Amino acid sequence: MRRGCALIPRSILLRIKSSKGTAGSVNFYEMRKTVTAWTFCSTRGDRSTVPDQAQSFTQPSTIHSSQFQISPEINPTPPPFQAGFFQTLHTLSDNTILINDALYGPQLITEPVLLTLLRSSSILRLAGVHQHGITGLLSLTPKVTRLEHSIGAFLLVRSVGASLEEQVAALLHDISHTVLSHVIDWALSKPGEESFHEVHKMRYVNNTELPGLLRAGGVEERVLDEELFPLVEQPAPHLCADRLDYSLRDAVGFGKLSVDEVQEIFKSLKVFPDVDSGKRLLVLQDKELALKLARAYCAIDRDVWSNRANIDMYRRTGKLIGDIMKRGAVQDDELWILSDVEFWERLRVEAGAEELAVMRRLETEGLPTEENLRLPQGAKVRTIDPDVYIQGTEKPLPLSIVAPEWAAERKEYIASRQAQRE
């Protein structure tokens, strides 16, 4: 059995069914009332602050109702907490949380430090942060959240048997993300600077309960530096849990891959040479699946991540936020306190007449057309070149070596995007 991977046999399902929990069980539904910003993260939540014209991207019920289901024998109480677009959390008892992920399947969590972190306000606030920032907030893109992505990265390294320390690093890798995700980079980051949330990570973390929770759980604070953990972070174009999880969620969310295809990729994932090696690497064991993933990744980059219309909305929103914050009307600590919905309304309170007009245009006009837009110099063009390991071979090789056609496709794609620069 893979280390850290909790399988759920029928005997456990029957015990879960009969369990009523204890008086001290954490109720994620109640947490939504005490930790800011939960209503918007569920597609059932109140979206009245977003105009009807923007309600163009809603959660497809088929993903949850037909393509993926937890066994009907699991009847967890209290009601599940909607962690994001593809994911719910269920408290089964004081000592067990069930993560129901539409892409990776159900997973039981019983390790004390993981339970503590999953119940912490610092982790749970990420349910209020849309992965796609302003376009997620306005329902122009799927409402994937930073919480479900963080948990997703954790589930990926857990599935391949990573150490508890590496699992914690994956869970916490985006802990300092602000409201509206990378939109804030356009508002407050200096030219050439890392993402705003990375620059200010420890300033945020040191003002939270996390250092104390890690000490109490016997986990060193080095887990807050995800670059020390090769399964969590790798330089592009290698695979890592962070890069793989956000791409798989977006691949399904934007219709580039099916849930079944994502689950095939998930099953093909392994670590080379092993989870204890200092040079450990996430690899795929199927060339065709690696090619399918790499092509889907480029398609998402073209249509979403480096899409000129999406970036234009990020840039306009960033300028709006920067103008309001630079005159001191909104403080930067609010970036980590409020949800996206609450922050947007906070901006509305402080905005002047021209700024309100900008907000109304963002809310009502939707994505602009790309044809008259150029790609900003600072915008990333993203590709991957997954390492592929074929059983019986000495070591994994980049997909571009295993499938030379991918080397040509990737080079052509990068050149086409660079030609669109400002």
Side-chain angles (χ1 to χ4, degrees):
M1 182 186 299
R2 288 174 168 177
R3 183 168 65 190
C5 185
L7 303 179
I8 309 180
R10 180 178 174 83
S11 60
I12 294 180
L13 295 182
L14 292 175
R15 288 203 298 274
I16 292 170
K17 182 178 179 181
S18 64
S19 172
K20 301 300 181 182
T22 65
S25 295
V26 171
N27 184 330
F28 284 106
Y29 180 76
E30 290 300 320
M31 282 186 180
R32 281 196 285 191
K33 299 177 182 177
T34 57
V35 180
T36 60
W38 303 126
T39 54
F40 62 91
C41 76
S42 167
T43 55
R44 298 186 298 274
D46 177 14
R47 292 158 60 189
S48 60
T49 59
V50 180
D52 289 340
Q53 300 95 304
Q55 308 293 337
S56 58
F57 212 120
T58 55
Q59 186 173 10
S61 60
T62 54
I63 286 178
H64 290 284
S65 62
S66 64
Q67 290 178 310
F68 177 83
Q69 291 181 344
I70 285 188
S71 166
E73 292 178 314
I74 298 180
N75 184 29
T77 55
F81 170 68
Q82 192 79 28
F85 197 71
F86 296 109
Q87 194 181 86
T88 53
L89 306 180
H90 307 251
T91 292
L92 304 183
S93 72
D94 280 355
N95 303 317
T96 309
I97 290 174
L98 172 68
I99 300 171
N100 169 8
D101 193 282
L103 306 186
Y104 310 142
Q107 182 75 206
L108 287 175
I109 309 301
T110 58
E111 296 90 335
V113 69
L114 293 175
L115 294 173
T116 298
L117 291 171
L118 285 168
R119 290 164 171 155
S120 68
S121 59
S122 295
I123 285 281
L124 292 174
R125 76 168 185 88
L126 294 175
V129 178
H130 292 87
Q131 188 87 347
H132 294 289
I134 186 62
T135 58
L137 174 66
L138 299 181
S139 299
L140 299 172
T141 51
K143 289 181 173 289
V144 176
T145 71
R146 286 284 159 189
L147 176 60
E148 70 174 295
H149 164 58
S150 297
I151 293 174
F154 150 65
L155 292 178
L156 285 176
V157 301
R158 184 179 178 87
S159 74
V160 295
S163 68
L164 178 62
E165 188 179 46
E166 192 142 22
Q167 292 180 50
V168 172
L171 183 60
L172 298 180
H173 82 276
D174 265 355
I175 194 64
S176 58
H177 250 294
T178 64
V179 293
L180 295 175
S181 291
H182 289 292
V183 171
I184 298 300
D185 299 346
W186 292 93
L188 301 176
S189 290
K190 299 173 183 176
E193 193 174 54
E194 284 187 276
S195 294
F196 184 86
H197 79 99
E198 294 288 0
V199 171
H200 298 277
K201 183 172 187 175
M202 292 314 298
R203 177 166 73 94
Y204 165 71
V205 166
N206 288 333
N207 284 292
T208 71
E209 76 279 30
L210 288 172
L213 295 181
L214 293 174
R215 284 194 298 273
V219 177
E220 295 182 14
E221 286 190 33
R222 68 191 296 269
V223 297
L224 295 166
D225 184 357
E226 64 270 21
E227 293 186 1
L228 297 176
F229 298 89
L231 301 183
V232 181
E233 290 293 347
Q234 285 280 345
H238 293 290
L239 284 186
C240 60
D242 176 17
R243 189 169 294 118
L244 182 58
D245 181 78
Y246 72 65
S247 63
L248 292 179
R249 289 182 194 281
D250 281 355
V252 176
F254 290 98
K256 309 302 182 185
L257 294 174
S258 69
V259 172
D260 287 343
E261 288 172 322
V262 164
Q263 290 175 350
E264 287 180 14
I265 291 168
F266 176 62
K267 291 174 185 176
S268 177
L269 198 63
K270 71 164 290 179
V271 179
F272 184 90
D274 57 65
V275 294
D276 298 315
S277 169
K279 296 183 178 180
R280 56 194 178 276
L281 188 66
L282 281 181
V283 301
L284 293 173
Q285 301 176 79
D286 186 298
K287 180 186 76 171
E288 295 306 317
L289 287 176
L291 189 58
K292 187 177 292 187
L293 172 64
R295 286 171 172 162
Y297 194 93
C298 279
I300 306 164
D301 184 68
R302 179 196 65 224
D303 296 345
V304 186
W305 303 327
S306 72
N307 176 271
R308 290 165 298 179
N310 281 270
I311 290 174
D312 179 73
M313 287 197 75
Y314 271 51
R315 184 153 61 174
R316 284 186 287 148
T317 307
K319 184 179 186 309
L320 169 76
I321 294 168
D323 289 346
I324 292 174
M325 293 189 68
K326 284 168 186 172
R327 67 171 183 260
V330 173
Q331 303 304 309
D332 68 354
D333 60 353
E334 296 179 72
L335 299 173
W336 291 285
I337 295 172
L338 303 178
S339 70
D340 285 1
V341 168
E342 292 169 331
F343 186 73
W344 192 245
E345 293 310 308
R346 179 83 173 90
L347 293 176
R348 198 187 307 278
V349 169
E350 299 297 341
E354 291 185 7
E355 291 160 343
L356 285 171
V358 170
M359 294 183 75
R360 283 192 293 269
R361 286 196 295 273
L362 287 166
E363 291 171 336
T364 59
E365 292 177 359
L367 288 166
T369 58
E370 273 198 286
E371 58 187 58
N372 296 320
L373 298 171
R374 306 299 292 175
L375 190 63
Q377 285 299 323
K380 291 181 181 178
V381 173
R382 306 182 192 215
T383 66
I384 54 172
D385 193 11
D387 292 283
V388 180
Y389 178 72
I390 306 301
Q391 193 69 33
T393 58
E394 182 181 349
K395 63 180 181 179
L397 294 171
L399 177 62
S400 56
I401 300 297
V402 177
E405 66 269 29
W406 174 241
E409 285 181 42
R410 180 169 176 256
K411 182 179 179 180
E412 181 181 352
Y413 174 73
I414 293 172
S416 71
R417 301 303 286 163
Q418 296 294 1
Q420 297 170 353
R421 294 281 187 192
E422 291 176 340

